[in-house]
Amino acid sequence: MSAVGHFESTSANFSSNTLSYLPLTCCYPLFPDHQHVPTKGVGDTFGTCFGPLSRNRKFGYRLGQGETMEEILASTTEVAEGVDTAIALRAMIKKRLKGYRLDLKYPILFGVAEILEGDQTPMNGMKGLMNMPMRKEAFERYSD
């Protein structure tokens, strides 16, 4: 967010919204009845979002400055796990969840994947998210 001119409060808002993806990525297989949502890893999530040494944050900052995913990957030896994870998670959602307009159910994840693949700019992606009506994101059960 700071790379496209926004402050920490905007970053905090978006990163806290990404915590809603925890049930999809780790809780459904382990806790199908939603009786317990683990919070381990939340510190890592915030470190990834805000830490100056975070490889994912550096990668995102460079995207926000106008570099492409290919340019960043070609110029570094560091691994930003979030790059492949965002693209893989979007593919998993498309495969396992059958529904209309999944991009509206998972706007942050789908937006990040589109930015990574060059289908939209970081600024346009952020504007799209900022203009969405506020609502609860719903997660559907999936099975193998």
Side-chain angles (χ1 to χ4, degrees):
M1 298 292 143
S2 59
V4 291
H6 286 270
F7 297 102
E8 284 78 13
S9 58
T10 306
S11 296
N13 180 39
F14 280 114
S15 59
S16 65
N17 284 334
T18 62
L19 293 177
S20 65
Y21 294 129
L22 281 177
L24 177 67
T25 58
C26 69
C27 299
Y28 277 159
L30 301 175
F31 308 98
D33 296 325
H34 296 286
Q35 294 174 358
H36 175 72
V37 176
T39 55
K40 291 184 179 191
V42 173
D44 286 345
T45 300
F46 288 130
T48 294
C49 294
F50 304 113
L53 301 177
S54 165
R55 296 179 305 261
N56 287 301
R57 185 180 184 282
K58 288 181 202 175
F59 194 99
Y61 189 87
R62 290 177 66 182
L63 276 174
Q65 292 289 303
E67 291 182 68
T68 67
M69 179 175 70
E70 292 78 17
E71 291 169 338
I72 299 168
L73 291 174
S75 68
T76 186
T77 58
E78 293 184 334
V79 175
E81 299 87 353
V83 174
D84 289 333
T85 301
I87 294 169
L89 187 54
R90 182 187 61 177
M92 184 190 80
I93 289 170
K94 285 183 172 183
K95 178 181 176 184
R96 294 185 178 185
L97 301 181
K98 305 302 177 204
Y100 178 70
R101 296 296 311 264
L102 291 172
D103 60 319
L104 295 177
K105 289 185 179 181
Y106 309 101
I108 296 170
L109 175 64
F110 277 58
V112 167
E114 288 176 2
I115 291 167
L116 289 169
E117 293 175 336
D119 295 332
Q120 74 171 324
T121 66
M123 182 61 84
N124 285 341
M126 187 182 61
K127 284 180 182 177
L129 288 172
M130 301 280 277
N131 288 320
M132 290 186 76
M134 291 186 64
R135 63 175 181 76
K136 180 181 175 186
E137 289 190 30
F139 293 100
E140 300 172 20
R141 288 182 144 3
Y142 63 87
S143 60
D144 288 325

